[in-house]
Structure formats: C-alpha cells, structure tokens
Amino acid sequence: ELYEGWTLQRQSIMNQYGSNKIMINVPGNSLLRAGQVINVEIPASEPKKGKDWKDPYLSGKYLIANLKHEIIINDQGKYTTTLELIRDSLPVSIADVKEFG
C-alpha cells in the first residue's frame, strides 16, 4: 500500500511537469545545459499600456529539461539551440471567479 501511494504521487508530479512545458528555438548557445534555470519573457497576447508588456502567467523562471544543438554547414551556416523548458508552478496566482463578478 505504501508503494502504491508513492507511485501515484510520483505520477502526479510527472504530470505537473508536462502541463507547464514550452519549446523554444534560440540562436546557438553552447553554454546552456540541461538542469539550468533561465528567465523567459513572453509578450502578452493582448497589448497593455505602460511597461508591463510581459505575460504574467507564461513569463518567468523555467528549468531546461532538454536541449538540442543544431549546426547546419552550408553557404550561410546556421547554429540554433532548441530548448524544452518546464516549471512546476505559475509566478502569479490565477484570478479567482469572485474577481469577475
């Protein structure tokens, strides 16, 4: 019974990681490593007045879960890094239904 509780708890945590995952492509950066925490700023889907242009729910700190460096050797040459980023919580709480009433 203790084993079953542990496996269910682990499964729940793994599902949480998958729910807050994003994939981004950035210019090649060989200094990035899996396990590092980086800050990501994502523009809000609706424009706002003033300095607060970032999406409060998507922007913030993410853990690099996986990354892939891609180097293309041709006339132009290209080096990009694809990052799989995850986090376990939101930086701000989601508005309660009472706030919309």
Side-chain angles (χ1 to χ4, degrees):
E1 189 171 296
L2 180 63
Y3 173 77
E4 183 178 316
W6 180 82
T7 56
L8 291 173
Q9 183 180 13
R10 182 180 185 283
Q11 184 63 41
S12 174
I13 291 169
M14 296 308 289
N15 289 340
Q16 286 176 359
Y17 284 134
S19 67
N20 288 315
K21 180 179 5 178
I22 61 173
M23 301 281 288
I24 61 171
N25 292 319
V26 297
N29 186 342
S30 63
L31 298 176
L32 295 173
R33 300 279 187 261
Q36 284 181 311
V37 175
I38 62 171
N39 192 45
V40 177
E41 296 177 344
I42 299 174
S45 58
E46 297 180 11
K48 294 185 179 185
K49 295 178 183 174
K51 298 178 184 178
D52 195 18
W53 58 271
K54 296 180 277 185
D55 186 304
Y57 302 110
L58 296 177
S59 297
K61 293 183 178 183
Y62 284 84
L63 175 75
I64 301 175
N66 195 2
L67 71 157
K68 179 176 82 170
H69 298 283
E70 184 176 13
I71 300 171
I72 298 174
I73 301 173
N74 58 18
D75 293 340
Q76 291 86 23
K78 185 177 177 183
Y79 176 29
T80 59
T81 303
T82 303
L83 302 171
E84 179 182 330
L85 306 173
I86 58 173
R87 67 173 170 194
D88 63 352
S89 62
L90 295 174
V92 295
S93 61
I94 297 174
D96 190 3
V97 72
K98 297 174 192 170
E99 296 178 27
F100 296 109

